[in-house]
Amino acid sequence: MRILVVEDEVDLARTLHTGLTAEGYSVDLAHDGRQGLWMARTGAYAAVVLDLMLPGLNGYKVCAQLRRESNATPILVPTAKNGEWDQTEALDTGADDYLAKPFSYLVLVARLRALVRRAAAVAPPVLAVGDLSLDVAARVCRRAGARVDLTPREFAVLELLARRAGQAVSKADLLYHAWPDDALDPNLVEARVSVLRKKVDAPFHRQSLQTVRGIGYRLVDDRERG
């Protein structure tokens, strides 16, 4: 399970990375708001630990932008700002929970577990874009009722496109989502999309996997064209 920590205090970020890794999480770090927003947009995380006082783009704006983009990843806000108005603003911009610094590490981990549990309970079991469906839990893809066999990488690419259906998704985002430990070569994405088109589009006479020139790809419901 992957967690994103967006924290500009380097020592605290490293401590959280070490502790959460020991708890069994895969942890990525960002040290400013813009990088954190870019990384959170991939939809690859079970939760985000988001500080409010960040350089580049503050945590309030990061949180609000993610919610405007319908990104429902749970967000836990640990911050030195502990007034009632700060807590209220953080929650009103879309944060799911708030923890004032200095905080108990045990409480942080417990609250993260609770957020992840709640998100799993309300998450749709199936992502659907037209007659293309992805059962995320079972890792099963179907089109027009017919099962389509996908490799784990292919499923990961299609899952992110389905989660952001109708939106242009960059090659960098797809690369980071499907190859989080080896996100270097955009040709990996192009090759997987080419194979996906042969599996989920061509046999059904569809063109739902669209190229967005200069950016990446988009998944749409194209049934009216069929």
Side-chain angles (χ1 to χ4, degrees):
M1 189 175 296
R2 188 170 290 275
I3 302 292
L4 173 63
V5 174
V6 189
E7 171 59 67
D8 65 323
E9 294 182 28
V10 176
D11 289 342
L12 176 57
R14 288 174 178 167
T15 297
L16 290 173
H17 182 280
T18 300
L20 291 172
T21 300
E23 294 288 334
Y25 294 105
S26 296
V27 183
D28 292 334
L29 299 179
H31 298 299
D32 65 72
R34 296 188 186 281
Q35 181 189 23
L37 176 61
W38 179 81
M39 293 172 71
R41 277 173 165 161
T42 66
Y45 299 99
V48 176
V49 179
L50 176 67
D51 189 28
L52 292 181
M53 305 309 294
L54 294 166
L57 197 66
N58 68 43
Y60 297 115
K61 293 180 179 179
V62 172
C63 188
Q65 183 61 35
L66 289 172
R67 297 314 186 219
R68 278 195 295 270
E69 296 173 3
S70 299
N71 186 315
T73 303
I75 297 175
L76 174 63
V77 172
T79 180
K81 302 186 72 178
N82 56 11
E84 291 181 356
W85 292 108
D86 298 317
Q87 295 180 34
T88 300
E89 185 176 359
L91 295 171
D92 283 347
T93 55
D96 297 279
D97 201 358
Y98 184 101
L99 196 58
K101 298 176 183 175
F103 51 81
S104 162
Y105 178 73
L106 291 177
V107 173
L108 172 73
V109 172
R111 290 193 176 184
L112 266 180
R113 285 197 298 261
L115 287 179
V116 172
R117 283 198 304 269
R118 288 200 294 270
V122 300
V126 176
L127 301 172
V129 182
D131 62 353
L132 179 66
S133 67
L134 294 174
D135 186 325
V136 177
R139 314 304 287 178
V140 172
C141 173
R142 296 183 186 277
R143 172 141 245 176
R147 179 162 178 159
V148 180
D149 291 327
L150 302 178
T151 68
R153 300 286 194 191
E154 292 161 2
F155 193 97
V157 169
L158 197 59
E159 178 188 354
L160 183 56
L161 289 168
R163 288 188 184 279
R164 293 164 62 176
Q167 302 177 33
V169 182
S170 71
K171 291 180 183 179
D173 284 357
L174 289 165
L175 188 61
Y176 191 83
H177 181 68
W179 291 267
D181 299 318
D182 189 28
L184 297 174
D185 186 0
N187 290 326
L188 293 171
V189 177
E190 295 175 8
R192 296 295 177 178
V193 170
S194 177
V195 173
L196 279 170
R197 283 175 169 151
K198 294 175 182 178
K199 290 185 175 183
V200 303
D201 272 353
F204 303 92
H205 307 290
R206 290 289 172 64
Q207 295 180 345
S208 59
L209 266 170
Q210 300 179 348
T211 297
V212 183
R213 293 191 181 279
I215 300 177
Y217 302 96
R218 173 172 49 220
L219 181 66
V220 301
D221 177 5
D222 70 333
R223 286 177 295 180
E224 67 276 9
R225 301 179 187 179

